[in-house]
C-alpha cells in the first residue's frame, strides 16, 4: 500500500489547477490520469478561450494545457504524476486501486479530489451505430490531436458551443460541413460562434433533427426532419443529405461513476448535465475528505473548471493543515471569478443547478 | 435572425457603426450582441477605448473618440466578432481576423462575403499581418467598394 496525502483523479484543467494550489500551499499530491498525457480536453482545443485574463482568455486551449502542465511540473517534489493509469476502485476509507501497465496498485490517501470531467451524450436514431457517426469531441481529438480527418462531408447535430466550434475547426481542416442542425428553436451556443460559421456559408437549421442514418458498410446519407414546438417530427419535411460523417454534439454528462462507487449522495440535475454529487461551498461531497472539481460536478466551460480546481486545491490543502499564506485573499478571488463567469444568461442553468446540489456543512 | 440562423439584423449591425464622418479614421466594430462572460477586447485595448467593466458578461462599448483602429482587439477577440472599418475615398477599408490557410497574399483579389456567407463583391488584399503577437489569427487588411461597408464581413479565396 502506497500512502499519499492527496490523490487527484483526472489530469485535466480542474485536476491540474487543484494540484498547483495544493503544492503552493505546501501539500503534495498524486495526479492519476487515464490518458497518455496530461491536459484533458484542452489538448485538442485550438480556439481562443473566452472569460477573463485570470482564466487565460484569448489564449488557445492547447496553450492553456501547456501553461497548466508547466505549472505543476514546477513542483517536481510536490506533484507526482501517473499517466496511462486508470482508477479501478475507490473505497469509503479512501483507498484507491489503480491499474498501470497491467500492474494493480493500492493507494491510501488522506483526501481525494475527483476531477474526472464529463463524457459526450449520444442520440438515439435508427442506424446510429454506422461507422462514420462520431461524437463531436471524438472528431476534435482525431483532427487536432492525431491529424486525421473524419471524412469529407459532414453534418453536425447540435448547435451548442462544442458543435459550433468543432464545425468551424472541421472547415479549417478542409472538411465540407454541409449544415448544423439543432432540435431547439434557437441556437444553443454563443452567437459569435454561429455567425463565424454562417459567414463561411454553413447553414444552421434550428427546429431540425436527424431521423435516421442510411448505409450498408458505413454512413452514406442521413434523413433530417423539421420538428414542431413539441420536438415531434413534422411529416413531409424529411430531407436526405449525402454525408460520410455525422457528428453528434448534444451535450455532456458528468463522469461521476467513481462517486457512486463510494456512496456519495448524488442527484440527477439536468441543468448540470446528469448525475452529480451534493457538495458544500468547499466542494466537499457527503463523504468526508472526498472533493470534486470541474465538469464532474456540473458541465460548464473549461474556464470554470480551472477556477474550481484552484479553489478546491486551496481548500483541501488547508483542511489537511497546509494553509496557503494568502488563503483568504485567494479564496475570495476564486469565488468571485466563478460568480463572474456564471453571472450572465449563459450561467443561469449552472446557477440553478448548483442550488439544487448545495449541501449544508453539517449534513451527515 | 441571430438566434435562429446566426445572422445579425441590419439594425443590429448599424448599431455597432459610428457615422461616416467618424469613419474617416479606422474604428473598431464590435459585433458582440450577447451577454457572454468574456472581456479580452477591453483588456487588450492599449487606448482604453473598449469598456466592459467588472461584470465580464457586459457587452462591450467602444469609445470612438479614443479608438485608433489599431486592430489589436480584432485578433484578440475569441469570438472573431470584431473588425475595424474606415472610409477611404470610394472604398471601405477593413481589418479582419482570418484563421484559414493558406493566407491571402498582398495584391490578390478575393471574394468579399456578407454575414449570410454570400459573395457580394471583390476585395483587394492590402496587408497581411502574421506575427507571434497575433497568435495564429492573421490580421488581414482589405478594401471593398464603399457601398458594401455595412454588408461586407469577411473574405474568401476565389474558387
Amino acid at each position: 500500500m502506497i500512502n499519499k496525502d492527496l490523490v487527484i483523479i483526472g489530469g485535466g484543467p480542474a485536476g491540474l489547477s487543484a494540484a498547483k494550489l495544493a503544492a503552493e500551499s505546501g501539500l503534495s499530491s498524486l495526479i492519476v490520469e487515464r490518458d497518455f498525457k496530461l491536459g484533458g480536453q484542452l489538448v485538442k482545443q485550438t480556439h481562443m478561450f473566452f472569460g477573463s485574463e485570470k482564466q487565460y482568455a484569448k489564449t488557445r486551449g492547447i496553450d492553456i494545457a501547456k501553461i497548466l502542465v508547466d505549472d505543476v511540473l514546477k513542483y517536481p517534489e510536490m506533484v507526482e504524476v501517473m499517466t496511462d493509469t486508470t482508477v479501478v476502485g475507490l473505497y469509503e476509507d479512501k483507498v484507491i486501486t489503480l491499474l498501470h501497465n497491467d500492474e494493480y496498485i493500492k493507494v491510501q490517501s488522506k483526501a481525494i479530489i475527483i476531477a474526472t470531467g464529463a463524457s459526450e451524450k449520444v442520440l438515439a436514431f435508427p442506424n446510429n451505430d454506422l461507422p462514420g457517426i462520431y461524437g463531436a469531441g471524438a472528431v476534435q481529438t482525431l483532427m487536432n490531436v492525431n491529424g486525421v480527418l473524419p471524412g469529407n462531408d459532414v453534418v453536425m447535430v447540435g448547435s451548442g458551443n462544442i458543435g459550433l466550434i468543432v464545425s468551424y475547426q472541421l472547415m479549417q481542416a478542409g472538411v465540407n460541413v454541409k449544415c448544423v442542425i439543432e432540435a431547439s428553436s434557437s441556437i444553443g451556443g454563443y452567437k459569435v460562434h454561429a455567425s463565424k460559421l454562417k459567414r463561411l456559408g454553413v447553414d444552421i437549421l434550428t427546429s431540425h433533427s436527424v431521423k435516421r442514418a442510411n448505409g450498408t458498410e458505413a454512413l452514406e446519407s442521413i434523413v433530417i426532419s423539421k420538428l414542431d414546438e413539441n420536438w415531434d417530427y413534422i411529416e413531409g419535411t424529411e430531407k436526405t443529405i449525402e454525408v460520410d460523417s455525422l457528428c453528434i454534439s448534444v451535450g455532456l454528462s458528468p463522469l461521476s461513476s467513481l462517486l457512486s462507487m463510494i456512496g456519495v449522495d448524488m442527484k440527477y440535475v439536468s441543468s448540470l448535465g446528469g448525475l452529480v454529487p451534493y457538495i458544500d461551498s468547499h466542494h466537499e461531497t457527503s463523504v468526508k475528505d472526498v472533493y470534486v472539481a470541474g465538469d464532474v460536478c456540473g458541465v460548464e466551460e473549461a474556464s470554470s473548471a480551472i477556477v474550481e480546481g484552484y479553489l478546491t486545491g486551496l481548500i483541501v490543502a488547508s483542511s489537511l493543515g497546509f494553509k496557503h499564506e494568502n488563503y483568504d485573499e485567494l479564496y475570495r478571488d476564486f469565488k468571485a471569478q466563478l460568480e463572474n463567469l456564471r453571472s450572465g444568461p449563459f450561467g443561469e442553468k449552472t446557477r440553478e443547478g448548483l442550488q439544487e446540489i448545495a449541501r449544508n456543512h453539517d449534513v451527515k | 435572425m441571430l438566434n435562429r440562423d446566426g445572422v445579425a439584423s441590419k439594425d443590429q449591425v448599424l448599431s455597432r457603426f459610428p457615422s461616416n464622418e467618424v469613419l474617416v479614421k479606422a474604428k473598431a466594430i464590435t459585433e458582440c450582441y450577447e451577454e457572454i462572460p468574456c472581456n479580452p477586447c477591453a483588456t487588450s485595448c492599449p487606448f482604453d477605448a473598449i469598456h466592459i467593466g467588472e461584470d465580464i458578461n457586459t457587452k462591450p462599448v467602444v469609445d470612438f473618440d479614443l479608438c485608433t483602429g489599431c486592430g489589436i482587439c480584432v485578433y484578440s477577440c475569441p469570438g472573431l466578432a470584431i473588425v475595424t472599418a474606415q472610409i477611404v475615398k470610394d472604398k471601405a477599408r477593413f481589418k479582419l481576423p482570418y484563421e484559414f490557410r493558406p493566407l491571402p497574399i498582398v495584391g490578390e483579389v478575393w471574394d468579399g462575403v456578407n454575414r449570410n456567407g454570400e459573395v457580394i463583391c471583390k476585395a483587394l488584399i492590402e496587408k497581411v499581418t502574421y506575427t507571434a503577437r497575433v497568435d495564429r489569427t492573421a490580421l488581414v487588411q482589405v478594401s471593398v467598394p464603399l457601398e458594401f461597408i455595412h454588408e461586407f464581413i469577411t473574405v474568401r479565396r476565389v474558387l
Side-chain angles (χ1 to χ4, degrees), chain A residues 198-199, chain B residues 7-11 13-14 17 23 29 31 33 83 85 92 94 96 111-121 144-155:
Chain A
K198 184 66 186 178
R199 73 177 87 118
Chain B
V7 183
S9 70
K10 183 138 198 187
D11 284 348
V13 174
L14 290 177
F17 273 82
L23 283 178
I29 310 299
E31 286 207 65
Y33 301 109
V83 297
F94 289 88
L96 53 90
D111 283 335
V113 172
N114 67 11
R115 289 170 182 77
N116 265 310
E118 298 154 349
V119 175
I120 50 167
C121 60
V144 300
L146 182 57
E147 59 187 293
F148 298 108
I149 188 162
H150 296 136
E151 282 77 43
F152 171 85
I153 189 66
T154 193
V155 290

Side-chain angles (χ1 to χ4, degrees), chain A residues 212-253:
Chain A
R212 61 176 293 114
N214 302 314
T216 44
E217 297 293 308
L219 181 66
E220 290 165 16
S221 67
I222 57 163
V223 178
I224 66 168
S225 168
K226 260 191 191 170
L227 300 180
D228 64 20
E229 59 270 27
N230 301 317
W231 291 33
D232 289 323
Y233 297 119
I234 302 176
E235 260 186 63
T237 62
E238 289 87 359
K239 206 171 113 185
T240 301
I241 306 176
E242 284 182 23
V243 287
D244 56 17
S245 308
L246 183 70
C247 284
I248 309 295
S249 175
V250 293
L252 303 172
S253 22

Side-chain angles (χ1 to χ4, degrees), chain B:
Chain B
M1 200 177 112
L2 188 60
N3 284 345
R4 285 181 186 270
D5 60 14
V7 183
S9 70
K10 183 138 198 187
D11 284 348
Q12 282 176 314
V13 174
L14 290 177
S15 75
R16 310 312 299 158
F17 273 82
S19 68
N20 284 2
E21 292 74 53
V22 173
L23 283 178
V24 294
K25 289 182 176 163
K27 300 294 170 189
I29 310 299
T30 54
E31 286 207 65
C32 190
Y33 301 109
E34 198 174 37
E35 292 176 334
I36 51 179
C38 190
N39 72 356
C41 57
T43 53
S44 69
C45 179
F47 306 101
D48 284 331
I50 306 184
H51 188 72
I52 284 184
E54 280 299 304
D55 179 358
I56 62 170
N57 293 278
T58 310
K59 288 181 268 187
V61 177
V62 182
D63 183 335
F64 292 116
D65 290 335
L66 296 177
C67 174
T68 67
C70 67
I72 289 175
C73 57
V74 174
Y75 58 78
S76 299
C77 171
L80 306 193
I82 305 179
V83 297
T84 67
Q86 182 183 9
I87 296 173
V88 184
K89 294 177 195 160
D90 59 342
K91 301 279 184 199
R93 174 181 285 166
F94 289 88
K95 284 182 207 144
L96 53 90
Y98 191 79
E99 291 189 331
F100 285 74
R101 302 292 182 271
L103 292 174
I105 294 167
V106 174
E108 287 180 340
V109 175
W110 282 35
D111 283 335
V113 172
N114 67 11
R115 289 170 182 77
N116 265 310
E118 298 154 349
V119 175
I120 50 167
C121 60
K122 291 293 172 197
L124 174 67
I125 309 294
E126 295 181 336
K127 194 174 173 187
V128 178
T129 307
Y130 193 68
T131 57
R133 206 184 150 89
V134 303
D135 188 24
R136 290 156 281 181
T137 302
L139 187 65
V140 177
Q141 182 181 307
V142 303
S143 65
V144 300
L146 182 57
E147 59 187 293
F148 298 108
I149 188 162
H150 296 136
E151 282 77 43
F152 171 85
I153 189 66
T154 193
V155 290
R156 190 182 297 163
R157 180 176 293 278
V158 179
L159 294 174

Side-chain angles (χ1 to χ4, degrees), chain A residues 251-328:
Chain A
L252 303 172
S253 22
L255 276 168
S256 55
S257 46
L258 287 175
L259 291 162
S260 304
M261 204 179 254
I262 47 169
V264 162
D265 288 344
M266 312 272 281
K267 186 176 184 185
Y268 185 90
V269 182
S270 120
S271 60
L272 296 179
L275 201 57
V276 282
Y278 284 91
I279 52 172
D280 66 10
S281 61
H282 281 184
H283 278 236
E284 192 173 16
T285 66
S286 62
V287 175
K288 196 177 176 316
D289 295 323
V290 174
Y291 295 79
V292 284
D295 274 4
V296 72
C297 53
V299 172
E300 284 183 87
E301 297 294 324
S303 321
S304 302
I306 293 170
V307 185
E308 280 194 0
Y310 287 146
L311 177 71
T312 312
L314 179 79
I315 288 168
V316 174
S318 169
S319 81
L320 292 183
F322 295 86
K323 193 165 180 176
H324 196 289
E325 54 180 2
N326 299 323
Y327 181 93
D328 292 334

Side-chain angles (χ1 to χ4, degrees), chain A residues 51 60 63 168 187 191 195 343, chain B residues 3 6 34 37 57 135-137:
Chain A
R60 295 173 193 280
D63 298 321
Y168 179 80
I187 292 165
K191 304 309 172 289
S195 300
S343 70
Chain B
N3 284 345
E34 198 174 37
N57 293 278
D135 188 24
R136 290 156 281 181
T137 302

Side-chain angles (χ1 to χ4, degrees), chain A residues 138-158:
Chain A
V139 161
Q140 206 181 20
T141 304
L142 265 184
M143 282 194 306
N144 299 350
V145 178
N146 301 310
V148 176
L149 287 183
N152 297 311
D153 295 295
V154 179
V155 166
M156 177 69 65
V157 182

Side-chain angles (χ1 to χ4, degrees), chain A residues 55-124:
Chain A
Q55 305 97 36
Y56 312 104
K58 89 177 167 125
T59 304
R60 295 173 193 280
I62 46 175
D63 298 321
I64 298 176
K66 282 185 205 134
I67 294 170
L68 299 183
V69 171
D70 287 348
D71 276 350
V72 302
L73 295 180
K74 278 179 203 149
Y75 299 93
E77 272 104 60
M78 305 286 292
V79 184
E80 187 187 342
V81 176
M82 288 182 76
T83 51
D84 191 18
T85 306
T86 306
V87 173
V88 288
L90 194 58
Y91 303 89
E92 222 170 321
D93 55 358
K94 284 169 283 296
V95 169
I96 304 160
T97 55
L98 312 174
L99 196 61
H100 176 71
N101 285 342
D102 283 335
E103 195 189 343
Y104 189 67
I105 304 161
K106 280 195 272 186
V107 182
Q108 170 74 63
S109 190
K110 288 181 187 156
I112 301 171
I113 298 176
I114 297 179
T116 42
S119 66
E120 300 197 87
K121 287 180 180 166
V122 293
L123 195 63

